[in-house]
Amino acid sequence: MKKGLVLEGGAMRGLFSAGVTDAFLEKEISFDGVIGVSAGAAFGCNYISKQKGRVLRYNTRFSKDKRYCSLRSLIRTGDLYNADFCYHEIPDHLDILDTETFTHNPAEFVVVCTDVLTGGPVYQKLEKMDYTDLEWMRASASMPLASKIVKIDSFRLLDGGIADAIPIKHFEKNGYDRNVVILTRPEGYAKTKTKFMPLFKIAFRKYPKFIDALERRHEVYNETLEHIRQQEKQGYLIAIRPEKALPIGKVEHSADKMRAVHAIGYETGLKYAERVKDFLNG
């Protein structure tokens, strides 16, 4: 039996997931593997490094720092979330990621990116959290139009949520048969086709397969939600969702809103903790 944790993205809605995983750390709940997409990747690494509270701490600390997330950064660097500051300066110097604990944790950590050349998902296991691993994590969270394409080896990468927003099927194919999925939308949510398609078609005209993935994103997402519901009914997974829409924007500078959403996640995680323990123990 392999126990997996699947973390959806959702930009700053990911603070809900961070709250849930902080509760799991407190209750000493562990998994054989964790897979994260976008914010689920950027925040999920802290679960492997066992740094309870780090996600909320650095987000609130730098919430109004123009080096972190700002229009100025987008204009100057091409990235709304400044690549060097967010993915290297902070974890290496300002709020250090515990790479020693990360590397010694037996759980595998996988991030999902979208290859703009193929329009398909790329699943990358991170083991060291060195410069290259952090670049993979950055790529997973690089939103189209708000980020530059991230180049790693032969790959040209952007937000993993385009190709596989909730990678439960990938974990199932790799032998994970007891899974907990943390979603950032409430029950009943269905994704609609993006209103930004005309802009996407211009910006990514050199990447027709990526445009196809963007056009099909809502269909793939909704199909995955239905798969999760069916697996949940059969007892193969637990899906943890907020009870209602989270009071936070995709891009957020209010530290109070960040704390509120994290608190919702934390209380939800505590509520589910014993059920999750029983489920993982078979």
Side-chain angles (χ1 to χ4, degrees):
M1 181 177 70
K2 290 180 71 175
K3 300 173 288 187
L5 177 64
V6 180
L7 301 173
E8 181 185 13
M12 297 312 290
R13 292 195 310 274
L15 283 163
F16 170 82
S17 304
V20 175
T21 54
D22 277 351
F24 284 3
L25 283 173
E26 185 175 304
K27 295 299 182 179
E28 298 183 341
I29 297 172
S30 61
F31 297 83
D32 298 309
V34 178
I35 187 166
V37 181
S38 195
F43 297 167
C45 65
N46 299 278
Y47 186 63
I48 303 295
S49 64
K50 300 184 180 181
Q51 289 176 278
K52 180 177 179 284
R54 180 175 179 268
V55 173
L56 181 62
R57 184 174 65 239
Y58 73 72
N59 273 286
T60 54
R61 177 182 174 185
F62 298 111
S63 61
K64 295 182 180 179
D65 192 319
K66 294 186 184 300
R67 295 172 298 171
Y68 185 56
C69 173
S70 66
L71 182 60
R72 185 178 73 174
S73 174
L74 180 62
I75 293 170
R76 290 186 176 183
T77 71
D79 291 300
L80 182 65
Y81 285 88
N82 186 284
D84 288 334
F85 186 75
C86 294
Y87 293 97
H88 300 291
E89 184 69 15
I90 290 176
D92 290 343
H93 303 291
L94 300 178
D95 196 323
I96 296 173
L97 180 67
D98 186 349
T99 55
E100 182 175 357
T101 298
F102 183 98
T103 55
H104 285 89
N105 191 327
E108 70 172 348
F109 182 60
V110 180
V111 301
V112 186
C113 304
T114 301
D115 188 336
V116 300
L117 299 175
T118 67
V122 180
Y123 305 96
Q124 180 69 21
K125 183 178 178 179
L126 307 187
E127 299 178 304
K128 300 178 181 178
M129 294 310 287
D130 56 8
Y131 186 91
T132 301
D133 278 2
L134 289 167
E135 285 294 282
W136 276 102
M137 195 165 68
R138 174 169 79 90
S140 180
S142 291
M143 297 180 290
L145 301 181
S147 310
K148 293 183 297 186
I149 293 172
V150 180
K151 300 176 182 179
I152 303 176
D153 299 328
S154 62
F155 296 106
R156 300 295 180 267
L157 305 165
L158 280 174
D159 190 342
I162 304 301
D164 194 357
I166 315 170
I168 177 62
K169 292 181 181 179
H170 177 76
F171 252 22
E172 289 172 345
K173 288 177 182 177
N174 283 273
Y176 285 89
D177 50 7
R178 290 219 172 235
N179 296 297
V180 174
V181 182
I182 303 179
L183 303 170
T184 59
R185 299 284 196 178
E187 178 62 73
Y189 173 80
K191 188 177 287 293
T192 57
K193 190 171 183 178
T194 177
K195 62 184 178 181
F196 296 111
M197 276 311 304
L199 286 176
F200 286 144
K201 288 181 177 180
I202 295 171
F204 299 106
R205 58 190 177 277
K206 295 180 180 178
Y207 307 104
K209 292 182 179 179
F210 185 64
I211 292 174
D212 289 343
L214 286 163
E215 288 192 307
R216 292 184 290 104
R217 182 185 186 186
H218 65 294
E219 297 173 355
V220 174
Y221 184 90
N222 293 334
E223 288 172 3
T224 304
L225 284 181
E226 182 56 32
H227 175 77
I228 288 170
R229 293 187 190 101
Q230 294 304 317
Q231 293 295 91
E232 191 174 20
K233 286 180 182 178
Q234 296 177 45
Y236 294 129
L237 64 78
I238 291 177
I240 298 176
R241 309 170 177 88
E243 292 184 355
K244 56 185 178 181
L246 295 168
I248 198 165
K250 269 195 167 185
V251 177
E252 186 60 66
H253 298 288
S254 169
D256 288 340
K257 288 185 178 180
M258 292 178 186
R259 293 187 188 97
V261 170
H262 180 273
I264 293 169
Y266 177 72
E267 293 301 324
T268 303
L270 291 179
K271 184 175 73 173
Y272 272 87
E274 291 306 314
R275 180 183 168 192
V276 168
K277 283 183 177 181
D278 291 342
F279 171 72
L280 296 178
N281 289 329

